[in-house]
Amino acid sequence: MELSTLWFLLIALLFIGYFVLEGFDFGVGMLLPVLGRDERERRVLINTIGPVWDGNEVWLITAGGAMFAAFPEWYATLFSGFYLPLLLILLALILRGVAFEYRGKRPATSWRRRWDWCIVFGSAVPAFLWGVAFANIVRGVPLNAAHDYTGSLFTLLNVYAILGGLTTVALFLTHGAIFLALKTTGEIRQRANRLAERVGVAAAIAAVLFLGVTLLRRATPSAVTLAVLAALCLVGGLISNRAPSRTDPEGRREGWAFAGTAAAIALAVASLFADLYPFVLPSTVDPLTNSLTVTNASSTPYTLKIMTWVALVFTPIVLLYQGWTYWVFRKRIGVQHIPDEAAQMPAPGGRAVG
């Protein structure tokens, strides 16, 4: 296997990891005002992703860095042509991170409510725009002979791309609701289960439509196989979310449900990359000569060789550390774990943190 193809697969794997892991905490963020009916319940929701949300974003940073080093022309064309959507994603992620840190700095309800809506905004905007961006990458965009993007923002907001954005939002909402059912107790768990049932139907319809349209445009056997498996995993996850648990009479099989939605997202993203290969950014102007491929967009073999050795050393370390983090914070939490005095705890300077 050529190193350029290997790095295409590695970048695909990094984006798969990002969408699977960041997908559920985007979902939790969007569901904050829906499932959190008071301050203690909202604290529970935030605490389910508190130890992991920033670590999940490392997958995106690594994917962007790998793209820059392995396929610099792909990186340059993508980040210049998709400049405004990617800037909006970046700003939303910054606002979301600030909101997690600042919402507890004051006890006022209005203060916390404003930051809660910043978390919702910072979760919903990236969830939608990532779907728009990847739909356009797979569909192709207008590139000239110099591989420069010649379209506008409205070129990216086509019907197919908007369908892709709605699909990722629905999938992440379902993934997040099932994650909350897996990580919480009591009424929050029950409400999350019920919501996952309703949102899951919309996610399944949107995903089938989006993947169906994608495969009708340009299908490969591997892409079709992965898309079918993704649909089966999503259905299996939704069925598991309805099935009663054998060990917990009050619960359902949330573990299998979460595994199903995670596998569905992973296989759906893999299907898009399988459909894209050997292109990295097709041109709608002249696909044969103006498109970027794994060959004409890649770095030199020497650069890819050095990157491969670095990845072999450090990737297992990162995976072990993140796996350990999830293991340490694996237990369920509920409102009983949020002390009453936490919302009024004094901080230095006379302010309160929650």
Side-chain angles (χ1 to χ4, degrees):
M1 180 187 296
E2 294 184 359
L3 288 179
S4 58
T5 300
L6 174 63
W7 274 97
F8 176 83
L9 294 175
L10 290 175
I11 290 172
L13 182 62
L14 289 169
F15 273 109
I16 288 170
Y18 174 68
F19 284 125
V20 169
L21 297 177
E22 193 83 308
F24 71 74
D25 67 48
F26 280 156
V28 172
M30 289 186 284
L31 293 173
L32 186 60
V34 178
L35 294 178
R37 296 184 177 178
D38 55 38
E39 174 59 21
R40 294 181 73 181
E41 290 188 350
R42 287 189 288 273
R43 283 280 305 280
V44 170
L45 267 62
I46 292 173
N47 287 353
T48 61
I49 59 174
V52 298
W53 69 266
D54 49 353
N56 293 341
E57 292 183 353
V58 172
W59 289 79
L60 174 62
I61 297 170
T62 307
M67 186 185 296
F68 172 77
F71 300 98
E73 195 158 0
W74 183 19
Y75 180 93
T77 302
L78 184 66
F79 278 75
S80 59
F82 291 47
Y83 179 80
L84 185 55
L86 293 176
L87 177 63
L88 290 174
I89 290 174
L90 177 61
L91 293 176
L93 292 176
I94 292 172
L95 180 64
R96 182 170 176 263
V98 171
F100 281 130
E101 299 295 335
Y102 273 73
R103 76 176 302 276
K105 297 301 183 182
R106 293 174 59 185
T109 301
S110 58
W111 168 271
R112 296 187 177 187
R113 187 59 56 88
R114 284 194 293 268
W115 287 116
D116 287 346
W117 282 110
C118 288
I119 293 174
V120 175
F121 177 84
S123 301
V125 169
F128 177 75
L129 290 180
W130 277 126
V132 171
F134 267 84
N136 278 294
I137 291 173
V138 174
R139 173 180 178 267
V141 294
L143 301 178
N144 60 21
H147 300 148
D148 295 327
Y149 177 74
T150 59
S152 65
L153 174 63
F154 297 102
T155 305
L156 302 177
L157 296 177
N158 53 79
V159 175
Y160 173 71
I162 292 174
L163 176 60
L166 294 175
T167 300
T168 51
V169 168
L171 284 173
F172 292 167
L173 282 171
T174 305
H175 197 37
I178 291 177
F179 175 78
L180 286 172
L182 177 66
K183 284 286 294 178
T184 59
T185 62
E187 293 185 9
I188 300 177
R189 179 185 183 184
Q190 303 302 324
R191 292 200 297 268
N193 271 318
R194 292 192 296 268
L195 182 63
E197 291 180 10
R198 298 193 295 270
V199 179
V201 174
I205 294 172
V208 169
L209 285 174
F210 177 69
L211 290 176
V213 172
T214 302
L215 297 177
L216 285 175
R217 296 177 61 87
R218 185 182 65 250
T220 62
S222 58
V224 173
T225 301
L226 291 169
V228 171
L229 290 174
L232 292 176
C233 287
L234 180 57
V235 172
L238 296 177
I239 292 174
S240 297
N241 184 62
R242 293 178 58 90
S245 172
R246 295 179 179 179
T247 58
D248 185 355
E250 297 183 359
R252 305 182 188 182
R253 298 183 181 181
E254 292 104 347
W256 285 107
F258 183 75
T261 54
I265 293 172
L267 290 167
V269 177
S271 174
L272 295 180
F273 275 95
D275 187 62
L276 184 62
Y277 185 81
F279 299 101
V280 293
L281 191 59
S283 171
T284 56
V285 177
D286 189 346
L288 295 179
T289 59
N290 293 4
S291 296
L292 288 171
T293 68
V294 294
T295 302
N296 65 19
S298 68
S299 294
T300 64
Y302 183 70
T303 300
L304 296 178
K305 184 177 180 180
I306 294 176
M307 291 175 59
T308 302
W309 283 110
V310 172
L312 286 174
V313 173
F314 289 101
T315 301
I317 298 174
V318 174
L319 292 176
L320 286 172
Y321 173 76
Q322 192 162 28
W324 175 80
T325 302
Y326 276 92
W327 175 256
V328 169
F329 295 100
R330 67 189 182 276
K331 293 187 177 181
R332 295 178 182 271
I333 61 174
V335 292
Q336 69 274 15
H337 299 115
I338 307 296
D340 291 333
E341 66 274 15
Q344 302 296 332
M345 186 172 59
R351 292 189 177 183
V353 295

